[in-house]
Short mmCIF file of all heavy atoms in Angstrom, two decimals:
data_model
loop_
_atom_site.label_atom_id
_atom_site.label_comp_id
_atom_site.label_asym_id
_atom_site.label_seq_id
_atom_site.Cartn_x
_atom_site.Cartn_y
_atom_site.Cartn_z
N GLY A 106 -11.44 1.39 -3.71
CA GLY A 106 -10.36 0.98 -4.59
C GLY A 106 -9.12 0.51 -3.83
O GLY A 106 -8.32 -0.26 -4.36
N ASP A 107 -8.95 0.98 -2.62
CA ASP A 107 -7.72 0.69 -1.85
C ASP A 107 -8.08 0.26 -0.45
O ASP A 107 -8.02 1.06 0.45
CB ASP A 107 -6.82 1.94 -1.84
CG ASP A 107 -5.51 1.70 -1.12
OD1 ASP A 107 -5.15 0.53 -0.91
OD2 ASP A 107 -4.83 2.68 -0.78
N MET A 108 -8.42 -1.03 -0.20
CA MET A 108 -8.59 -2.02 -1.22
C MET A 108 -9.70 -3.01 -0.84
O MET A 108 -9.56 -4.19 -0.92
CB MET A 108 -7.26 -2.74 -1.49
CG MET A 108 -6.66 -3.38 -0.23
SD MET A 108 -5.10 -4.30 -0.54
CE MET A 108 -5.61 -5.66 -1.56
N LYS A 109 -10.84 -2.44 -0.39
CA LYS A 109 -11.92 -3.32 0.08
C LYS A 109 -12.60 -4.06 -1.07
O LYS A 109 -13.07 -5.19 -0.87
CB LYS A 109 -12.90 -2.52 0.93
CG LYS A 109 -12.26 -2.27 2.31
CD LYS A 109 -13.10 -1.50 3.25
CE LYS A 109 -12.54 -1.64 4.66
NZ LYS A 109 -13.15 -0.69 5.60
N GLY A 110 -12.63 -3.44 -2.24
CA GLY A 110 -13.17 -4.15 -3.41
C GLY A 110 -12.31 -5.37 -3.71
O GLY A 110 -12.82 -6.47 -3.97
N ALA A 111 -10.99 -5.19 -3.65
CA ALA A 111 -10.06 -6.29 -3.90
C ALA A 111 -10.13 -7.33 -2.78
O ALA A 111 -10.04 -8.53 -3.03
CB ALA A 111 -8.64 -5.75 -4.05
N ASP A 112 -10.33 -6.86 -1.54
CA ASP A 112 -10.49 -7.80 -0.42
C ASP A 112 -11.71 -8.70 -0.66
O ASP A 112 -11.66 -9.90 -0.41
CB ASP A 112 -10.68 -7.04 0.91
CG ASP A 112 -9.42 -6.32 1.35
OD1 ASP A 112 -8.32 -6.71 0.91
OD2 ASP A 112 -9.53 -5.35 2.13
N ALA A 113 -12.79 -8.08 -1.13
CA ALA A 113 -14.01 -8.85 -1.39
C ALA A 113 -13.75 -9.92 -2.45
O ALA A 113 -14.19 -11.06 -2.32
CB ALA A 113 -15.14 -7.90 -1.84
N ILE A 114 -13.01 -9.55 -3.49
CA ILE A 114 -12.68 -10.51 -4.55
C ILE A 114 -11.88 -11.68 -3.96
O ILE A 114 -12.18 -12.85 -4.21
CB ILE A 114 -11.86 -9.83 -5.67
CG1 ILE A 114 -12.72 -8.77 -6.38
CG2 ILE A 114 -11.35 -10.87 -6.67
CD1 ILE A 114 -11.93 -7.89 -7.34
N MET A 115 -10.87 -11.35 -3.15
CA MET A 115 -10.01 -12.40 -2.60
C MET A 115 -10.78 -13.32 -1.66
O MET A 115 -10.59 -14.53 -1.66
CB MET A 115 -8.80 -11.77 -1.91
CG MET A 115 -7.84 -11.15 -2.90
SD MET A 115 -6.28 -10.69 -2.17
CE MET A 115 -6.77 -9.27 -1.21
N LEU A 116 -11.67 -12.72 -0.84
CA LEU A 116 -12.47 -13.53 0.09
C LEU A 116 -13.37 -14.49 -0.67
O LEU A 116 -13.46 -15.67 -0.35
CB LEU A 116 -13.35 -12.60 0.94
CG LEU A 116 -12.70 -12.02 2.19
CD1 LEU A 116 -13.57 -10.91 2.76
CD2 LEU A 116 -12.51 -13.12 3.24
N GLU A 117 -14.04 -13.96 -1.68
CA GLU A 117 -14.96 -14.76 -2.49
C GLU A 117 -14.20 -15.86 -3.22
O GLU A 117 -14.62 -17.02 -3.26
CB GLU A 117 -15.67 -13.82 -3.48
CG GLU A 117 -16.85 -14.39 -4.18
CD GLU A 117 -17.96 -14.87 -3.25
OE1 GLU A 117 -18.16 -14.27 -2.18
OE2 GLU A 117 -18.60 -15.88 -3.61
N LEU A 118 -13.05 -15.49 -3.78
CA LEU A 118 -12.22 -16.43 -4.53
C LEU A 118 -11.70 -17.54 -3.62
O LEU A 118 -11.77 -18.72 -3.94
CB LEU A 118 -11.04 -15.64 -5.12
CG LEU A 118 -10.14 -16.29 -6.16
CD1 LEU A 118 -10.94 -16.70 -7.38
CD2 LEU A 118 -9.04 -15.30 -6.56
N PHE A 119 -11.22 -17.14 -2.46
CA PHE A 119 -10.67 -18.11 -1.51
C PHE A 119 -11.75 -19.10 -1.07
O PHE A 119 -11.54 -20.30 -1.04
CB PHE A 119 -10.10 -17.36 -0.29
CG PHE A 119 -9.46 -18.27 0.72
CD1 PHE A 119 -8.13 -18.63 0.62
CD2 PHE A 119 -10.22 -18.78 1.77
CE1 PHE A 119 -7.56 -19.49 1.55
CE2 PHE A 119 -9.66 -19.64 2.71
CZ PHE A 119 -8.32 -19.99 2.60
N ARG A 120 -12.92 -18.55 -0.77
CA ARG A 120 -14.02 -19.39 -0.30
C ARG A 120 -14.47 -20.37 -1.38
O ARG A 120 -14.63 -21.55 -1.13
CB ARG A 120 -15.20 -18.49 0.08
CG ARG A 120 -15.79 -18.80 1.45
CD ARG A 120 -16.61 -17.64 1.93
NE ARG A 120 -17.61 -17.23 0.95
CZ ARG A 120 -18.90 -17.57 1.01
NH1 ARG A 120 -19.34 -18.31 2.00
NH2 ARG A 120 -19.74 -17.16 0.09
N THR A 121 -14.67 -19.85 -2.58
CA THR A 121 -15.14 -20.68 -3.68
C THR A 121 -14.12 -21.77 -4.02
O THR A 121 -14.48 -22.94 -4.19
CB THR A 121 -15.39 -19.81 -4.93
OG1 THR A 121 -16.23 -18.73 -4.55
CG2 THR A 121 -16.04 -20.60 -6.04
#
Side-chain angles (χ1 to χ4, degrees):
D107 183 16
M108 57 178 294
K109 285 180 165 168
D112 291 338
I114 295 170
M115 290 191 288
L116 275 168
E117 193 58 34
L118 192 60
F119 182 88
R120 229 162 53 100
T121 308

